[in-house]
Amino acid sequence: MSSASDPLAALGSLPGVAESVDSVRKAVDRVYGHRVMRRRSGEITSEAALRGARGSAALSGADWALEEVRRRTDFGAEEQARTVGAALRLTAEAGQLLSIWRQSPLRVLARLHLVASGSTAEGDVVGRPRLAGEPVDEPFVTAPLPGADEVAGRLDGLSRLIIAGGSAPALITSAVVHGELLALRPFGSYNGLVARAAERIVLINSGLDPKAICPAEVGHAEQGREAYLAAFEGYLSGTAEGMAAWIAHCGRAIELGVRESTAVCEALQRGAA
């Protein structure tokens, strides 16, 4: 497919993007080559899911210590607990939706929002894009909110790109999916969590991270909310420089997620975890 008909692949020609793609690929290959992965990959996957959920929740305002996330069982008492619970549910659900994603990404997004909303779901606003006039509760993302008609059109365009496939590297596709969902905020709540869960699905489904051991959410949180939102402004700008900066930021997040899982591998190898 030519770059003219494959706009995601065309982003690979932006300054620095090819280098980010190569750096991510090498980092992922290194952790997959770790000797612990040959016999204990399931443990790494489980730990990566927990840490990824914690990181995503932190970006949405619930910055809990990892051990607090690990020990808690009640996630319905107050707002931060509900955010952490939503992040954990999304991480668990993402792996169940891989086969559907390439055929019906909008169905997956609706399911993700339903799962995130959990027992707090009210009426028919859950699991569908918002209608004109419906409010959006999205902490920290203050960019102008697209209207419902624009949301519907852009979601359809994003869905068509995903279904069509193409030659774009996983980093580029996942960054665009993440950025577009954050820009649209198509649901009344939990859009940031859903956007990062969708990024996770792309990275797994693409074959870059089939065992889900490279939690980009960890890296987004580690770089900090201020840097995250600054990079997102680059995505919103639509400029070559802004898009390249967002993709590079997402690439760095994956690499930091790799570093986290590598540390888990090392700890298991030492018998310390």
Side-chain angles (χ1 to χ4, degrees):
M1 184 178 289
S2 70
S3 61
S5 58
D6 189 358
L8 296 183
L11 295 174
S13 64
L14 294 178
V17 169
E19 290 81 358
S20 292
V21 168
D22 186 57
S23 182
V24 165
R25 176 77 267 176
K26 289 178 179 177
V28 172
D29 285 347
R30 283 195 298 272
V31 72
Y32 269 84
H34 197 287
R35 63 194 307 176
V36 169
M37 283 295 297
R38 291 196 293 271
R39 47 196 171 83
R40 303 182 72 175
S41 63
E43 294 171 71
I44 309 302
T45 296
S46 296
E47 192 65 19
L50 182 72
R51 295 179 185 222
R54 192 218 73 83
S56 191
L59 286 170
S60 288
D63 192 1
W64 288 13
L66 180 63
E67 291 311 312
E68 176 69 5
V69 177
R70 197 188 301 279
R71 75 169 187 83
R72 284 285 289 267
T73 56
D74 176 15
F75 296 102
E78 44 83 28
E79 184 175 356
Q80 286 198 9
R82 290 195 296 271
T83 298
V84 174
L88 288 167
R89 290 192 299 273
L90 283 172
T91 303
E93 185 73 10
Q96 310 303 312
L97 299 172
L98 299 177
S99 63
I100 306 172
W101 176 253
R102 291 301 280 277
Q103 287 75 42
S104 185
L106 298 185
R107 180 181 164 196
V108 169
L109 294 175
R111 174 63 184 171
L112 289 175
H113 185 244
L114 184 65
V115 167
S117 299
S119 61
T120 66
E122 296 183 4
D124 64 350
V125 301
V126 174
R128 63 154 174 81
R130 55 187 167 83
L131 303 177
E134 290 182 342
V136 173
D137 178 16
E138 189 57 46
F140 312 113
V141 181
T142 58
L145 195 64
D149 287 345
E150 181 180 351
V151 168
R154 287 171 63 175
L155 280 177
D156 182 66
L158 183 64
S159 175
R160 289 174 183 272
L161 281 175
I162 293 165
I163 292 169
S167 59
L171 168 59
I172 294 176
T173 303
S174 63
V176 169
V177 167
H178 181 171
E180 189 70 356
L181 292 175
L182 203 58
L184 295 178
R185 281 149 288 161
F187 304 109
S189 59
Y190 297 118
N191 288 286
L193 295 179
V194 168
R196 292 184 287 273
E199 177 186 44
R200 166 182 282 268
I201 287 172
V202 173
L203 293 172
I204 299 169
N205 216 22
S206 67
L208 177 68
D209 182 22
K211 294 184 182 294
I213 61 168
C214 307
E217 306 97 322
V218 167
H220 287 303
E222 186 170 333
Q223 292 178 91
R225 187 184 300 124
E226 184 175 342
Y228 178 71
L229 294 176
F232 174 57
E233 286 294 328
Y235 179 86
L236 288 175
S237 75
T239 65
E241 295 80 6
M243 291 295 291
W246 171 248
I247 293 168
H249 184 87
C250 292
R252 180 60 179 156
I254 296 170
E255 291 184 55
L256 290 170
V258 166
R259 187 176 72 179
E260 186 90 351
S261 287
T262 301
V264 173
C265 287
E266 295 294 332
L268 287 172
Q269 186 167 281
R270 294 192 304 270

